[in-house]
């Protein structure tokens, strides 16, 4: 019997709905193979009854058999059947000549076949030049895709003075302006709720660790606690609790786990949520504090910046402050590293940021330079590897925690003095609040692709990252990766600062050269900025 | 007193009124005013509050009116003691105390000022907190060094969960379910909330993934070590040499004895046990007829012994074994005597005979008489005349038996080493032999071998030393290589050789002189300990450099010339110019393009060993490359301009060594190893390119919590405590640790 004859007289119907087998049939009707069953379970269950015909090929003749010829097949599951290359039917042994299409055919056209590869180095020469080119391209592409600015949240009618992250929700953010305050929804980029919290500036705000309420302090000498939920219809917007203080509060922070918060103004006060008077207050010959922060790791520790150019450390459990360091100029704010219990960074008026180890206050272990005006705020990334700073020079800079210079600078034409800055708690975004009533949303990694990445995309990103890291010292790559556009004023100012610094250094060197040896000791950059440590 | 004060005041006031009325008397007025002021001021000094009596209870009591009677009066000691008259014993005591108090002039120290106390408080508090904070140091460092950090830090293990874990509040309701659950409960199976059985949970808690990994790695290591030792033992077992095994056994025994000695010192109880065991085995041995030379084999050997050395040796050996086994372990001093007695009793006479020395290379024999071959050399030439001190060789052997005993251990070691070396040598020889077989195929290798053989003798020569006879060579060859470290050593070395030479010479020349031979033997004996012979060193003629004789103070020209001459002399050896020229020529050679030969042998004609492709073909397939542009330094004879440097590439090259690297090689190595998929397997690429920080999309990263620290510390404590040898699980270990803690 010929194949054609077999086809014509048999009542064959191929019930399998496999797309590929159909396509193959169209292409070459004489090419018979065991139809591949569908992989998914529903398919197999369907094919249980649909496939009742098989095409088999023995030595040189082809038989079409109905499944009913083989009662024993009924007991055999189709899955087994599919995977075996030999089919035992009664005593007859049938060899299937065709290979299992699963092994070599794509499921979809997007599937990638496994390509066996020979890794013999002689077959793939010039590895360094090729990788160098790839690294160069990756660096260039990174710069091409570096578009960090995501959105601007406008709605405030005065400069935004402070912001607060929600500890439990990534999409919620609070901002306090010079006249009232607003709760934002970040995913929709719209204002959810507005409330008139204080008369005058809202100086500080913080969300309670559970995320159900938040505290604000304002110029009207009050501390107010508010519900996070929007009041229902007909309800009035009223604070849960109001505490009237003796003087203006400038900053507030909440304990990580307990119902305790801390404010500062003329002194540092620690409050219990249940009481209307502070449970403890610290003052150490200073009349005004600008910022106070709880340590997020060792939750009983505090640090504050005072107007007498000092940073003071406290322990909530002790009756006295711990230590203070006095610097050349005033620190505006500080932020503790969330992953390293003893490190904090303060933003200073002298254009620099200083990272201290709280155990060794006599000199900062890193001085972060690059800003060309006073640094107003600083916030750590939740991974503790980097921090972001906001400056009076209308830029935001991102510093690695142990590097002296920034890895990134963000600015826009319309952004004015940046007053407050926050790094979102998923490590992806940065929020900046500035003088001109806007809050801006930035990407933390300028060229990062947002959203889910396919595994291959992820692998490619990782590879290019690794390449950039590997070749980072090569001049071309370094030049391209470091290149940033700066506003002209900032560019010229930084240049000027550089010149000034160089001149100062030269002068010092000359003085040293012409004075008695040993009379002019070398003072390192780190030591220069600290006046004393007061015990 | 108060009354008086009042009167005074009234008087003064009256005066004042009077003076006020008298308007004119200005000076008088002033005087009076002063008086008044004085009166008032004097009033203030003596001012005293009136004693007021409180007769009625009132709510408001002024603090100024509270007063006690006799307030102003001083209390004297006598007042206090006065009441104590009735108890004389107490009185004396208190009297003494009071007297002491009165004499004691020192006062209590004034308390510190508030400022200072606060400072101290602050310092103490700071110390405390900084210590507390420092606990994080290890965690912080660990995170800094970590290859990869995954945030949020405390993630639950991903993957499917059981339905019981997800559905919390489910309870058995139908009777069937209840029955099943009652059964489960009886068998201590989990019901609803704890999905795992208590034992399972305990085991889970006992071993985290990392611990398990560490443990597995350790087990693997021990297994490998074990297999290695087994293999070694097997190899040792398969060695057929009886000598080797005998020595091995001896070493083992010795080691065991050593251990036993130590055990006696450290753990006497265990040592006693061991001793008992040994005693028992001894008794058994004594009871049995083993090794007693009474068996069939032994009898046959005894017959043969008179004629056969081997048989004699075998018998002796067996007896020795017997002796060893039946020996009582006592103090060594007695042991010797007993040995002698025993040997006298048990050994047949012939055993004690001196065995003929069969091979001279026998290390055991050589240990005694290391100088013998040389002596023999000299003896051959001259009839031996033995000085009295040294005695005949046989006697000498007796003398040196003690030395032998001392040296035994080291000899054994050296022997074992010798075995090893011989084995290795045999292996290499095998390799060489196989090489030689292959060498027949290619003449290149044979040529190479020839070359090597040719090269070898000069390398060996310095080792052997000049002027050594062939008779001496085996002994000297056996001598290990001695590292020469200092100049003195070098001198010593040369002297050793020369000294032995001279010794030989002297024995040849003045064979009859006793002292000389003696000195010669001594010198040969301790070569390394020899002192420097001043004559040897000093009589050598120093090289005299001929200098132009010139007075020191002369004109500049002469000076310069002299200098030039000196420089010329100093650099007489190296010809800089020719070196430079050579260098340049080499560079030029390297820059010249080479002819590329593309001929394929056997293509289009017969090919095979020894067949060369035809000349025409070679000509055809030889590609000549166009000559390069002329070199830049072609016409500059004294300059080499490197043509390799390409300025267009220089822009892409790193000109400074980047920070963390210490040398260019390190840096180049990092650059050279490729990371891409083109050069590495999938897994490697994934591993290499793994990002340092991984964050999850949309997950809030909390600050590190104190629990992490505690967990980390616990891990650090339990991590290294896993023991290599013990086979029990960490669970047991922890329990035992806890027990220990409790005990302590």
């Amino acid at each position: 019997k010929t194949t054609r004859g077999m086809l014509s007289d048999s009542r064959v119907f191929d019930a399998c709905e496999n797309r590929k087998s159909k396509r193959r049939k169209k292409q070459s009707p004489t090419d018979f193979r065991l139809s591949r069953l569908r992989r998914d379970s529903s398919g197999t269950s369907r094919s249980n009854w649909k496939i009742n015909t098989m095409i088999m090929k023995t030595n040189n003749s082809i038989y079409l058999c109905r499944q009913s010829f083989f009662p024993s097949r009924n007991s055999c599951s189709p899955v087994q059947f599919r995977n075996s290359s030999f089919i035992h039917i009664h005593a007859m042994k049938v060899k299937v000549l065709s290979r299992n299409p699963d092994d070599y055919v794509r499921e979809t056209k997007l599937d990638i076949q496994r390509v066996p590869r020979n890794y013999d180095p002689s077959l793939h020469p010039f590895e360094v030049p090729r990788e160098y080119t790839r690294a160069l391209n990756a660096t260039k592409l990174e710069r091409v895709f570096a578009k960090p600015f995501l959105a601007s949240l406008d709605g405030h009618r005065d400069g935004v003075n402070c912001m607060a992250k929600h500890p439990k929700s990534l999409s919620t953010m609070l901002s306090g302006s010079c006249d009232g305050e607003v709760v934002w929804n970040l995913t929709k980029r719209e204002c959810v709720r507005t409330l008139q919290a204080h008369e005058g500036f809202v100086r500080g705000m913080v969300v309670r660790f559970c995320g159900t309420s938040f505290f604000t302090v304002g110029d009207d000498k009050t501390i107010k606690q508010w519900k996070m939920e929007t009041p229902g219809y007909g309800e009035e917007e009223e604070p849960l609790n109001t505490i009237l203080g003796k003087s203006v509060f400038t900053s507030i922070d909440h304990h990580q786990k307990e119902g305790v918060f801390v404010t500062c103004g003329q002194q540092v006060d620690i409050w219990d949520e249940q009481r209307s008077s502070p449970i403890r207050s610290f003052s150490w010959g200073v009349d005004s504090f600008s910022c106070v922060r709880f340590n997020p790791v060792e939750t009983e520790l505090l640090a504050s910046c005072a107007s007498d150019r000092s940073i003071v450390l406290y322990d909530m459990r002790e009756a006295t402050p711990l230590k203070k360091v006095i610097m050349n100029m005033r620190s505006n704010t500080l932020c503790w590293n969330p992953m390293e219990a003893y490190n904090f960074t303060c933003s200073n008026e002298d254009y620099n940021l200083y990272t201290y180890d709280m155990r060794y206050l006599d000199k900062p272990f890193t001085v972060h330079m690059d800003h060309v005006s006073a640094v107003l705020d600083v916030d750590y990334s939740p991974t503790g590897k980097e921090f972001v700073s906001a400056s009076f020079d209308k830029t935001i800079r991102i510093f690695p925690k142990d590097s002296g210079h920034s890895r990134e600078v963000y600015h826009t034409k319309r952004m004015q003095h940046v007053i407050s800055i926050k790094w979102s708690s998923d490590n992806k975004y940065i929020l900046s609040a500035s003088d001109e009533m806007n809050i801006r949303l930035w990407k933390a990694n300028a060229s990062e692709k947002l959203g889910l990445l396919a595994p291959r995309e992820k692998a490619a990103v990782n590879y290019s990252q690794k390449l950039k890291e590997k070749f980072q010292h090569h001049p071309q790559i370094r030049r391209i990766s470091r290149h940033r556009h700066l506003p002209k004023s900032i560019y010229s100012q930084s240049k000027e600062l550089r010149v000034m610094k160089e001149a100062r250094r030269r002068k010092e060197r000359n003085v040293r050269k012409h004075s008695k040896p040993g009379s002019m000791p070398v003072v390192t950059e780190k030591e220069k900025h600290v006046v004393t440590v007061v015990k | 007193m108060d009354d008086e004060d009042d009167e005074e005041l009234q008087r003064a006031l009256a005066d004042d009124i009077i003076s006020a009325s008298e308007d004119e008397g200005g000076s008088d007025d002033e005087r009076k005013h002063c008086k008044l002021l004085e009166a008032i001021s004097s009033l203030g000094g003596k001012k005293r509050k009136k004693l007021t009596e409180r007769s009625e209870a009132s709510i408001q009591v002024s603090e100024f009116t509270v007063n006690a009677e006799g307030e102003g009066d001083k209390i004297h000691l006598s007042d206090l003691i006065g009441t104590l008259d009735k108890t004389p014993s107490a009185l004396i005591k208190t009297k003494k105390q009071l007297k002491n108090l009165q004499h004691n002039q020192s006062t209590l120290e004034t308390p510190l000022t508030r400022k200072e106390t606060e400072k101290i408080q602050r310092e103490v508090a700071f110390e405390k907190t900084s210590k507390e904070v420092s606990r994080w140091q290890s965690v912080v460092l660990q995170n800094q060094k970590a290859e990869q950090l995954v945030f949020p830090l405390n993630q639950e293990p991903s993957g499917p969960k059981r339905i019981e874990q997800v559905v919390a509040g489910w309870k058995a309701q139908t009777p069937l379910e209840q029955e099943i659950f009652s059964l489960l409960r009886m068998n201590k199976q989990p019901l609803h909330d704890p999905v795992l059985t208590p034992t399972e949970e305990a085991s889970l808690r006992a071993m985290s993934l990392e611990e398990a990994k560490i443990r597995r790695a350790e087990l693997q290591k021990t297994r490998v070590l074990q297999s290695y030792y087994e293999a070694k033992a097997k190899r040792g077992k398969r060695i057929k040499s009886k000598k080797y095994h005998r020595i091995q056994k001896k070493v083992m025994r010795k080691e065991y004895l050593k251990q036993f000695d130590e055990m006696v010192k450290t753990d006497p109880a265990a040592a006693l046990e061991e001793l008992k065991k040994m005693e028992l085995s001894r008794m058994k041995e004594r009871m049995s007829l083993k090794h007693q030379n009474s068996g069939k084999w032994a009898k046959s050997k005894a017959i043969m012994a008179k004629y056969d050395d081997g048989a004699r040796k075998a018998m002796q050996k067996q007896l020795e074994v017997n002796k060893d086994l039946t020996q009582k372990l006592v103090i060594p001093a007695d042991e010797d005597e007993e040995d002698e007695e025993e040997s006298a009793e048990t050994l047949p006479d012939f055993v004690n005979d001196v065995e003929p020395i069969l091979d001279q290379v026998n290390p055991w024999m050589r240990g005694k008489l290391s100088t013998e071959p040389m002596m023999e050399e000299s003896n051959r030439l001259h009839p031996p005349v033995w000085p009295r001190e040294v005695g005949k060789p046989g006697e000498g052997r007796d003398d040196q038996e003690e030395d032998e005993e001392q040296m035994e251990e080291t000899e054994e070691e050296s022997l074992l080493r010798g075995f090893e070396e011989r084995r290795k040598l045999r292996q290499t020889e095998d390799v060489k032999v196989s090489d030689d077989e292959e060498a027949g195929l290619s003449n290149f290798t044979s040529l190479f071998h020839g070359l090597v053989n040719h090269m070898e003798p000069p390398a060996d020569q310095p080792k052997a030393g000049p002027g050594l006879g062939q008779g001496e060579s085996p002994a000297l060859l056996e001598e290990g290589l001695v590292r020469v470290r200092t100049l003195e050593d070098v001198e010593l070395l040369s002297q050793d050789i020369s000294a032995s030479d001279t010794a030989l010479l002297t024995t040849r020349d003045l064979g009859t002189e006793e002292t000389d031979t003696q000195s010669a033997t001594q010198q040969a004996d301790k070569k390394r300990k020899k002192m420097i012979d001043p004559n040897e060193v000093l009589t050598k003629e120093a090289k005299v450099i001929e200098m132009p004789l010139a007075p020191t103070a002369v004109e500049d020209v002469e000076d310069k010339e002299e200098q030039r001459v000196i420089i010329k002399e100093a650099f007489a050896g190296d010809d800089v110019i020719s070196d430079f020229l050579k260098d340049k020529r080499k560079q030029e050679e390297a820059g010249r393009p080479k002819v590329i030969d593309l001929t394929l042998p056997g293509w289009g004609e017969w090919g095979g060993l020894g067949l060369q492709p035809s000349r025409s073909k070679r000509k055809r397939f030889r590609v000549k490359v166009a000559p390069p542009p002329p070199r830049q330094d072609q016409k500059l004879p004294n300059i080499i301009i490197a043509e390799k440097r390409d300025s267009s590439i220089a822009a892409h090259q790193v000109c400074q060594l980047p920070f963390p690297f210490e040398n260019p090689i390190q840096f180049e190595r990092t650059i050279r190893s490729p990371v891409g998929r083109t050069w590495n397997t999938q897994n490697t690429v994934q591993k290499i390119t793994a990002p340092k920080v991984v964050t999850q999309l949309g997950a809030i990263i909390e600050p590190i919590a104190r629990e992490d620290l505690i967990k980390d510390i616990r891990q650090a404590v339990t991590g290294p405590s896993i023991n290599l040898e013990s086979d029990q699980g960490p669970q047991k270990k922890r329990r035992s640790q806890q027990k220990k803690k409790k005990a302590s």
Side-chain angles (χ1 to χ4, degrees), chain B residues 301-579:
Chain B
K301 286 284 162 185
I303 295 162
M304 289 297 289
K306 274 185 184 165
Y307 316 105
D308 188 10
D309 275 343
R312 208 179 334 174
K313 261 187 196 169
M315 275 192 76
Q316 204 178 354
K317 224 173 285 162
Q318 211 186 26
L319 279 171
E320 256 171 39
V321 168
N322 181 36
K323 195 174 78 182
D324 278 351
L325 288 172
T326 52
Q327 212 169 39
K328 232 177 192 176
L329 276 170
V330 268
I331 313 152
D334 302 330
E335 197 175 36
D336 286 4
E337 291 171 10
E338 272 189 12
D339 277 4
E340 280 174 7
E341 283 167 14
E342 268 189 5
S343 62
E345 282 168 12
T346 51
L347 287 184
D349 288 344
F350 57 83
V351 174
N352 279 333
D353 289 354
V354 178
E355 287 176 55
I357 301 159
L358 294 174
D359 54 340
Q360 291 182 346
V361 200
N362 183 353
W364 296 87
M365 307 316 293
R366 225 186 317 118
K368 294 177 204 168
L369 307 164
S370 57
T371 60
E372 209 171 43
M374 211 169 64
M375 295 291 292
E376 279 174 0
E377 175 80 23
S378 60
N379 287 351
R380 225 179 292 152
L381 293 169
H382 307 277
V385 180
W386 296 105
R388 273 163 215 160
E389 287 94 338
V390 177
K392 283 187 177 178
E395 290 167 310
R397 205 179 295 152
D398 286 352
D399 287 341
Q400 278 163 338
E401 262 176 355
E402 291 167 6
D403 294 318
E404 188 195 5
E405 274 172 8
Q406 287 171 358
M407 300 283 281
E408 221 166 26
E409 206 172 305
T410 52
E411 274 167 12
E412 276 165 12
E413 280 166 15
S414 65
L415 231 176
L416 280 179
R417 226 180 298 130
F419 272 119
E420 285 282 309
E421 275 166 22
R422 238 169 276 162
R423 198 153 53 79
K424 270 176 200 164
L425 225 149
R426 217 177 297 138
Q427 279 171 1
T428 48
E429 273 172 9
D430 287 352
V431 171
K432 265 187 190 169
V433 166
S434 59
D435 271 0
D436 285 338
E437 283 168 4
E438 283 172 359
L441 296 173
S442 65
N443 47 7
F444 168 73
T445 44
S446 64
L447 201 124
F448 176 73
H449 270 289
L451 267 176
V452 166
N453 291 335
H454 190 70
M455 290 293 282
E456 267 171 16
D460 281 355
Q461 264 173 3
K463 262 194 249 167
L468 276 177
Q470 280 190 347
E472 291 163 359
S473 60
L476 282 166
L477 279 175
E478 286 294 324
E479 201 176 68
L481 280 177
V482 181
R483 176 166 254 164
V484 179
R485 286 209 181 112
T486 59
L487 208 71
E488 290 169 355
D489 273 352
V490 174
E491 279 175 357
L492 259 179
L493 200 75
S494 63
Q495 248 187 12
D496 285 342
I497 294 154
S498 59
S500 55
D501 285 358
T502 49
L504 269 175
L505 285 172
T506 47
T507 44
R508 272 174 208 162
D509 294 338
L510 316 159
T512 47
E513 280 183 29
E514 294 173 358
T515 49
D516 272 13
T517 48
Q518 189 188 343
S519 70
T521 47
Q522 275 175 359
Q523 276 172 349
D525 258 329
K526 33 182 178 174
K527 285 171 185 172
R528 307 261 353 123
K529 289 171 191 170
K530 257 196 57 174
M531 300 297 289
I532 299 169
D533 186 7
N535 290 332
E536 282 282 331
V537 181
L538 294 177
T539 49
K540 273 184 184 172
E541 270 191 352
K543 260 189 187 174
V544 181
I545 302 166
E546 280 185 54
M547 296 278 283
L549 252 167
T552 44
V554 268
E555 287 109 31
D556 280 355
V557 188
E558 276 193 9
D559 244 9
K560 272 179 188 170
E561 206 160 291
E562 188 190 350
Q563 215 165 20
R564 218 193 60 215
V565 170
I566 287 170
I567 287 169
K568 214 177 185 181
E569 251 167 33
F571 295 101
D574 36 52
D575 188 359
V576 187
I577 294 163
S578 69
D579 278 356

Side-chain angles (χ1 to χ4, degrees), chain A residues 139-184:
Chain A
T139 328
K140 285 175 183 170
L141 282 178
E142 186 208 317
R143 289 331 299 156
V144 167
F145 289 121
K147 300 209 183 316
F149 181 71
L150 286 177
S152 169
L153 312 175
D154 53 342
H156 275 293
R157 273 162 294 172
D158 209 333
V160 186
N161 205 33
C162 56
M163 286 192 294
K165 286 187 271 190
H166 195 287
K168 299 287 174 197
S169 152
L170 278 174
S171 60
T172 314
M173 196 270 293
L174 290 82
S175 67
S177 74
C178 297
D179 58 351
E181 80 192 66
V182 179
V183 179
W184 291 95

Side-chain angles (χ1 to χ4, degrees), chain A residues 117 119 124 127-128 130-132 134 167-168 170 256 284 296-301 315 317-318 320-323 338-342 358-359 382-383 385 401 425-428 462-463 466-467 470 473-476 535, chain B residues 119 121-123 125-126 128-130 132-137 140 143-144 149 151 153 651-654 658 667 670-681 688-689 691 695 697-704 706:
Chain A
R117 240 190 114 72
Y119 290 105
H124 308 285
E127 58 258 23
V128 178
R130 284 166 81 184
E131 288 216 316
Y132 174 75
R134 285 180 196 178
K168 299 287 174 197
L170 278 174
Q256 204 71 27
W284 187 358
V297 188
E298 282 290 328
T299 47
E300 269 66 42
L301 295 181
D315 192 330
R317 297 158 293 189
E318 305 287 345
T320 52
L322 300 179
K323 214 171 207 183
M339 289 293 153
E340 295 166 13
Y342 42 76
M358 69 158 275
R359 297 166 297 170
T383 59
K385 298 270 176 206
K401 72 161 196 254
S425 39
D426 62 346
N427 198 34
K428 282 263 186 301
N462 287 347
Y463 179 45
K466 182 74 192 174
L467 282 181
K470 184 181 166 187
H473 302 294
H474 286 70
Q476 289 295 313
K535 282 175 186 171
Chain B
K119 192 178 173 184
Q121 273 179 357
R122 279 197 298 261
E123 224 157 284
F126 179 75
K128 203 172 134 197
T129 43
S130 62
E132 199 175 313
V133 161
S134 295
R135 289 182 309 162
W136 287 94
Q137 184 102 39
V140 169
N143 284 355
Q144 271 172 8
L149 280 177
F151 292 103
L153 285 174
H652 292 271
Q653 281 171 331
V654 182
F667 177 64
T670 58
I671 294 296
R672 211 180 301 132
S673 57
V675 280
R677 285 202 317 164
T678 324
W679 300 275
N680 295 307
T681 57
I688 296 171
T689 60
T695 55
L697 203 66
I700 292 176
I701 301 166
E702 300 273 348
I704 196 165
R706 270 209 197 117

